[in-house]
Amino acid sequence: MSVSEIIAQTEHKMKATVEHTREEFVKIRTGRASTGLLDQIKVDYYGCPTPLNQVAQVGVGDARTLTVQPWEKNMVKVVEKAIRDSDLGLNPATSGDVIRVPLPPLTEERRRELSKVVRGMGEDSKVAIRNLRRDANTHVERLTKDKEISEDDERRAETEVQKLTDKYVAEIDKVVADKEKEIMTV
């Protein structure tokens, strides 16, 4: 594997780490209704656990209400029960074949807890990026040991990997700051 391949692969993995962090943050509840909040809920669909968004249409009714409309009428009670039994603390109400899920406002204490969770997840992501840097540097050192590249090339590669690390750690910091701001906004 060449130095450019190592750097390209490392950058790809770092981008994926940032993207994964963003996806995880969607699941964290803020003051606003977001369909991503119900993404992890599984519904018993004819004996098979199925993601909610595959048995129903999930939408945003207003800033504090989600609407869930199952494709099949007989799934309304099952979907309502799955939402109620989830660990999200939501209390859905059915009106006809539409399930309304009001989101209770977050307390100041809960906002602070969520903020800590977000910072912790951000820190985990930064550790993952630093681990990718370490792996890349190990590969580069191996190439130097095997006399495939010079020590100057090794230093240049390590500098390049460090620049990538700094760039993606800063991106994680920005994503965390944005999410914290979103959580703390009343």
Side-chain angles (χ1 to χ4, degrees):
M1 193 184 308
S2 71
V3 171
S4 58
E5 287 173 331
I6 291 170
I7 290 173
Q9 190 177 36
T10 302
E11 182 170 21
H12 175 73
K13 288 178 181 176
M14 287 180 178
K15 269 185 194 163
T17 302
V18 172
E19 209 42 55
H20 175 75
T21 304
R22 280 197 180 105
E23 288 168 10
E24 288 299 306
F25 283 176
V26 167
K27 296 174 188 170
I28 293 180
R29 203 179 125 212
T30 59
R32 290 192 301 279
S34 164
T35 57
L37 189 61
L38 302 178
D39 280 352
Q40 76 267 23
I41 293 179
K42 299 262 191 270
V43 178
D44 182 36
Y45 186 67
Y46 298 108
C48 181
T50 309
L52 177 64
N53 59 8
Q54 290 182 15
V55 297
Q57 179 175 347
V58 180
V60 178
D62 59 50
R64 296 219 184 268
T65 310
L66 291 173
T67 58
V68 181
Q69 187 163 13
W71 310 132
E72 301 173 26
K73 273 207 184 298
N74 64 335
M75 290 301 294
V76 173
K77 291 287 182 212
V78 177
V79 169
E80 185 181 3
K81 182 180 180 338
I83 294 170
R84 187 170 284 118
D85 293 348
S86 71
D87 60 353
L88 297 172
L90 300 174
N91 194 13
T94 305
S95 55
D97 58 350
V98 176
I99 302 166
R100 299 205 180 286
V101 185
L103 300 176
L106 293 173
T107 62
E108 184 69 25
E109 184 181 333
R110 183 70 180 135
R111 286 178 195 276
R112 289 189 202 290
E113 283 175 27
L114 288 174
S115 198
K116 283 180 188 170
V117 168
V118 165
R119 280 195 299 271
M121 290 169 74
E123 201 50 52
D124 292 346
S125 297
K126 289 194 277 189
V127 167
I129 286 174
R130 291 185 195 113
N131 287 341
L132 291 170
R133 173 189 61 193
R134 184 198 60 223
D135 294 346
N137 287 341
T138 303
H139 284 299
V140 170
E141 286 170 14
R142 196 169 300 128
L143 289 177
T144 308
K145 228 180 228 170
D146 297 343
K147 305 274 190 248
E148 292 180 36
I149 62 170
S150 68
E151 286 183 12
D152 288 344
D153 290 338
E154 178 185 4
R155 274 193 293 285
R156 274 192 286 276
E158 286 175 353
T159 303
E160 187 68 31
V161 169
Q162 185 58 47
K163 283 180 188 170
L164 285 176
T165 304
D166 295 342
K167 173 184 170 186
Y168 287 105
V169 163
E171 211 168 306
I172 292 284
D173 286 337
K174 183 183 179 324
V175 171
V176 168
D178 291 348
K179 188 64 179 182
E180 274 190 312
K181 183 179 170 201
E182 190 181 328
I183 288 171
M184 296 311 279
T185 302
V186 180

